[in-house]
Amino acid sequence: MFDGPLLNIVDLVKHFPLGGGVLAKPEGWIKAVDGVSFSVSRGESFGLVGESGCGKTTLGRLILRLIEPTDGRIEFAGQDIFSLSPAELMPLRRRMQIIFQDPYSSLDPRMKVDAIITEPLRAIQRLTRNQQQNAAAELLEKVGLQKADLDKYPHEFSGGQRQRIGIARSLCVRPELIVADEPVSALDVSIQAQVINLMQDLKEEFNLSYVFISHDLSVVQHICERIAVMYLGSIVELATTEDFSRTPRHPYTRALLQAVPLPDPHHKTASFSMEGDVPNPIDPPGGCVFHPRCPYKFDRCSLEKPPLMEATANHFVACWLNQGHGMTNVERQMTN
Ligand code: SF4
């Protein structure tokens, strides 16, 4: 068995053409993913977090090779997925599955739960009807539903129950990696915790790795061992969850963390707010992409893009304040 990282992403780029036509030149490019690199180990939950439009969903689709990259490489268990033919890709598809955001639109309303869950299984294995039903019933019970639910249609379930059906479907082919794209954001807050806890239990039981995509930092902090923060197509900070929560280093991360509500009314955090909105990805700012919104910017920030560098052990940051050894005056100001 390959003993390197289960998923290895190297300098991944995805630019979408804007306007133009089959023969006409595009009028511009949307830089959805712009030079992203990270790896995910077997059994790890890796969180990708950022505001809407930061490129995290495009990245999820690239990992599953639902779209082709502009440049860069993705290796799954040591195999470059973009170099594989459709026939060679088939066995890999079984090993990577997705859980979608919207449990209402991701399940075909005309299919019974039995058919929904076994659909991926039928595509890759010849099983008798009885074997299919037993597999589906077993999975339904694992996700907290009942065998009798096999005979029902999606509209007979609540949002949380539908997401459990989506999870059962993704597990049907015994994958190694699941890309969960905002899996709880469409659910009531009271149901979100149940589904997150279920995903955590299933991770242990099925020895899964997750790439968990969310705009909600508190959800990602709860389930992931490492977190990468994306902003305008680039990773600006990557660290273990503990490090990330204790000593966030990028100004954008600090702003995201401050937006997470705390249950303690007496807890006080230093006030810090971002200026303006996320810039247009068609014409991203030069230098540090965060500089138009950053209260700590200085001359160099608008001129040179900071690379993602290791600031402390296994804690990577793309910010000029963190590139030197020892604290600068501005960094002291940021950490006070
Ligand atoms: Fe702010 Fe400059 Fe750091 Fe960018 S590089 S986050 S603009 S201080």
Side-chain angles (χ1 to χ4, degrees), residues 19 44 51 90 137 158 177 193 196 222 237 239 267 275 290 332:
E44 183 181 15
E51 290 168 285
M90 250 336 219
S158 67
L177 175 73
I196 293 289
H222 190 72
E237 183 156 7
H267 183 94
E275 300 164 4
F290 188 60
R332 275 196 203 94

Side-chain angles (χ1 to χ4, degrees), residues 27-282:
E27 289 156 18
W29 296 90
I30 300 173
K31 297 178 177 174
V33 175
D34 206 18
V36 164
S37 302
F38 65 88
S39 58
V40 180
S41 307
R42 254 174 224 284
E44 183 181 15
S45 295
F46 186 91
L48 269 177
V49 72
E51 290 168 285
S52 171
C54 71
K56 55 193 190 305
T57 292
T58 302
L59 188 48
R61 290 173 180 274
L62 286 162
I63 293 171
L64 295 161
R65 202 179 157 180
L66 300 177
I67 51 176
E68 299 292 314
T70 306
D71 202 358
R73 205 168 70 242
I74 296 183
E75 294 162 356
F76 181 83
Q79 279 185 290
D80 180 351
I81 65 166
F82 297 118
S83 69
L84 300 177
S85 67
E88 290 169 328
L89 193 61
M90 250 336 219
L92 273 197
R93 289 226 180 275
R94 185 191 66 74
R95 298 167 69 186
M96 298 188 271
Q97 292 290 306
I98 186 165
I99 299 172
F100 293 100
Q101 173 180 3
D102 186 353
Y104 291 89
S105 64
S106 63
L107 306 179
D108 188 334
R110 296 158 304 177
M111 287 168 82
K112 286 187 175 176
V113 171
D114 177 15
I116 289 171
I117 294 182
T118 56
E119 193 179 26
L121 198 58
R122 290 196 304 275
I124 59 159
Q125 260 180 339
R126 284 185 190 280
L127 294 180
T128 64
R129 184 76 197 100
N130 228 359
Q131 285 171 320
Q132 286 177 26
Q133 268 198 324
N134 287 342
E138 191 192 331
L139 280 170
L140 264 196
E141 280 165 16
K142 295 255 185 237
V143 298
L145 297 173
Q146 293 164 0
K147 188 177 177 185
D149 294 325
L150 284 175
D151 211 31
K152 295 181 183 169
Y153 288 94
H155 73 265
E156 296 176 70
F157 296 92
S158 67
Q161 288 172 324
R162 286 185 198 211
Q163 198 55 301
R164 286 171 189 266
I165 295 167
I167 293 170
R169 176 176 59 185
S170 72
L171 292 174
C172 189
V173 289
R174 297 294 191 266
E176 292 157 58
L177 175 73
I178 290 187
V179 175
D181 186 4
E182 300 270 14
V184 296
S185 61
L187 305 178
D188 286 349
V189 176
S190 57
I191 308 294
Q192 287 187 1
Q194 292 172 16
V195 173
I196 293 289
N197 290 339
L198 170 68
M199 288 181 70
Q200 242 168 347
D201 293 345
L202 294 171
K203 173 177 175 270
E204 302 303 324
E205 187 170 351
F206 288 84
N207 193 24
L208 297 167
S209 305
Y210 288 131
V211 173
F212 200 100
I213 297 169
S214 179
H215 70 281
D216 187 339
L217 195 48
S218 59
V219 168
V220 173
Q221 281 175 300
H222 190 72
I223 194 169
C224 295
E225 285 118 34
R226 281 192 307 148
I227 298 175
V229 177
M230 284 191 76
Y231 187 80
L232 272 185
S234 302
I235 290 179
V236 294
E237 183 156 7
L238 194 167
T240 62
T241 303
E242 199 189 340
D243 232 7
F244 185 89
S245 311
R246 214 178 36 207
T247 48
R249 287 178 168 272
H250 197 282
Y252 179 59
T253 309
R254 291 172 66 86
L256 287 182
L257 279 164
Q258 278 184 15
V260 175
L262 293 171
D264 177 2
H266 303 296
H267 183 94
K268 285 197 173 66
T269 50
S271 93
F272 165 74
S273 61
M274 286 183 283
E275 300 164 4
D277 296 322
V278 181
N280 189 341
I282 299 165

Side-chain angles (χ1 to χ4, degrees), residues 250-252 288-292 294-298 301 304 306 318-322 330:
H250 197 282
Y252 179 59
C288 170
V289 283
F290 188 60
H291 88 260
C294 181
Y296 307 107
K297 62 180 172 258
F298 52 102
C301 302
E304 287 178 75
C319 171
W320 290 125
L321 292 180
N322 289 273
V330 187

